[in-house]
Amino acid sequence: MNMEFIEAVDALSKEKDIPRDVIYEAIEAAIIRAYKKNYGTEQNVRVEINRETGEILAYLRMEVVEELEDEDTQMTLEEAREIDDRYEVGDIIEFQVDPSGFGRIAAQTAKQVVVQKIREAERKMIYDDFVSRKGEIVTGRVGRIFNDTIYVSLGNTEGVLSRNEQVAGEKYRVNDRIKVYVMDVKDTAKGPQVFLSRSHPGLVKRLFELEVPEIEDGTVVIKGIAREAGSRTKMAVYTEDENVDPVGACVGTRGTRVQAIVDELNGEKVDIIPWSEDTDELVANVLSPAKVERVIVPDPDEKKAEVVVPDYQLSLAIGKGGQNARLAARVSGWTIDIKSHSQYFGDDEPKEEAPAEEAEAVETEKETSDEE
């Protein structure tokens, strides 16, 4: 019987992916509860299960005292010395009791305790697992969809992808595989809740870390990232290694690396720009693909910059609905005020005319933005 007991514990441990000791501790707690239920007592009981033989030993614990206050948990020094004259006040004496004689109600109580303890252990393991994966990407399957909320099966738990964390235009059906960003994990009365996102900038950052070895090993650092999910992301990258091109590393040979990420994001545009410690250069870079004539920084501490662009580049610098300017400000951490050459210098100042090829490129970019 004892070997069957050990085999049952081993099988339960594998099935629930719970350490054997956790199950043994749950059973020990259940036997203590059963003893108290059976005898209607608050006596101090200790239970020990031999992990090798499966033998269950239950002990009633009594404290040696000078004056008896609770006969269920204490015995006098005189009574103790009748057992062994070496006992002193404060010692604990244990008497073995037989758990096999517990009644049906006690057995039911024990079963309930075991089930409850195992469920608590499962919840704690799930919670600890996903807390450690917070800020990472996980792959799951769409389990169900209710009121625009997608519930994603993540193995032994279910994650919540709310409507606000979804990307407009992305459609999923039950059983579709989906990559999601673990945004938050909360321990609730109903168990751990895992909150997921497809629109968080961290999703793009993690995708690049998975795709680009130079980012994973720290050679290339992502200094800033800003995203309007489903439309465009700007990411600024930097390296101290003069032999490494940070933008080229992220783009990959013939664009293979960035294309893999764009495909995962269902066609979202990704601008990869070089980070610079020089403010003028940084602000000019983040406004790409627009060309910048001048950057004016009245007070560097305020992190505000005025930017002058050629007249024909103004709409490109601002972007559709101000998107390019918004993303540039967020990725750089600077407030950027964009003005055209004419707005800043007036009509009397000579202004640059758009070369034919640049005008065509600007028009193409505008058409692309309009299609979005």
Side-chain angles (χ1 to χ4, degrees), residues 21-81:
D21 281 345
V22 172
I23 298 174
Y24 280 122
E25 288 168 9
I27 297 171
E28 289 168 352
I31 294 173
I32 292 172
R33 183 77 64 85
Y35 179 89
K36 293 181 177 181
K37 186 79 173 179
N38 195 69
Y39 293 103
T41 178
E42 292 301 320
Q43 288 178 322
N44 191 6
V45 180
R46 181 176 71 88
V47 172
E48 182 181 284
I49 299 176
N50 188 304
R51 271 53 165 174
E52 301 299 326
T53 65
E55 184 180 11
I56 300 174
L57 300 174
Y59 299 94
L60 175 63
R61 296 163 59 88
M62 303 287 281
E63 182 185 3
V64 179
V65 296
E66 288 186 356
E67 289 190 23
L68 193 64
E69 296 179 0
D70 184 352
E71 62 181 12
D72 287 336
T73 61
Q74 298 173 340
M75 68 165 49
T76 64
L77 181 60
E78 292 76 15
E79 291 173 326
R81 284 185 171 171

Side-chain angles (χ1 to χ4, degrees), residues 21 45 74 82 86 101 105 223 251 307 325:
D21 281 345
V45 180
Q74 298 173 340
E82 288 178 7
R86 290 175 296 179
I105 294 176
K223 299 286 283 186
V251 172
V307 175

Side-chain angles (χ1 to χ4, degrees), residues 13 29 38 45 81 90 117 171 198 249 254 293 298 335 346-347:
S13 173
N38 195 69
V45 180
R81 284 185 171 171
K117 292 286 186 182
K171 301 295 181 183
R198 281 282 301 174
R254 297 181 181 177
E293 283 185 3
T335 300
D347 292 334

Side-chain angles (χ1 to χ4, degrees), residues 199-201 223-229 232-236 268 273 275 282 286-287 303 322-336:
S199 61
H200 198 285
K223 299 286 283 186
I225 188 166
R227 184 184 184 200
E228 293 194 357
R232 195 177 208 121
T233 290
K234 277 185 182 285
M235 186 176 77
E268 182 176 317
I273 51 183
W275 176 273
L282 173 64
V286 297
L287 283 170
K303 301 199 80 172
Q323 183 187 69
N324 195 58
R326 281 196 307 274
L327 292 175
R330 279 156 51 191
V331 76
S332 64
W334 283 73
T335 300
I336 301 175

Side-chain angles (χ1 to χ4, degrees), residues 34 56 149 151 157 187 272 284 296 299 363:
I56 300 174
T149 297
Y151 295 89
T157 192
D187 194 7
I272 304 170
I296 304 99
D299 185 354
E363 191 61 35

Side-chain angles (χ1 to χ4, degrees), residues 236-300:
V237 292
Y238 173 79
T239 183
E240 293 184 352
D241 190 336
E242 59 184 18
N243 297 317
V244 176
D245 173 14
V247 174
C250 295
V251 172
T253 306
R254 297 181 181 177
T256 53
R257 290 176 176 176
V258 72
Q259 189 57 50
I261 293 167
V262 169
D263 291 344
E264 175 58 38
L265 299 175
N266 294 313
E268 182 176 317
K269 290 185 121 186
V270 179
D271 296 340
I272 304 170
I273 51 183
W275 176 273
S276 175
E277 297 298 335
D278 180 81
T279 301
D280 291 7
E281 186 177 352
L282 173 64
V283 172
N285 289 347
V286 297
L287 283 170
S288 172
K291 179 181 177 182
V292 173
E293 283 185 3
R294 183 179 298 183
V295 177
I296 304 99
V297 181
D299 185 354

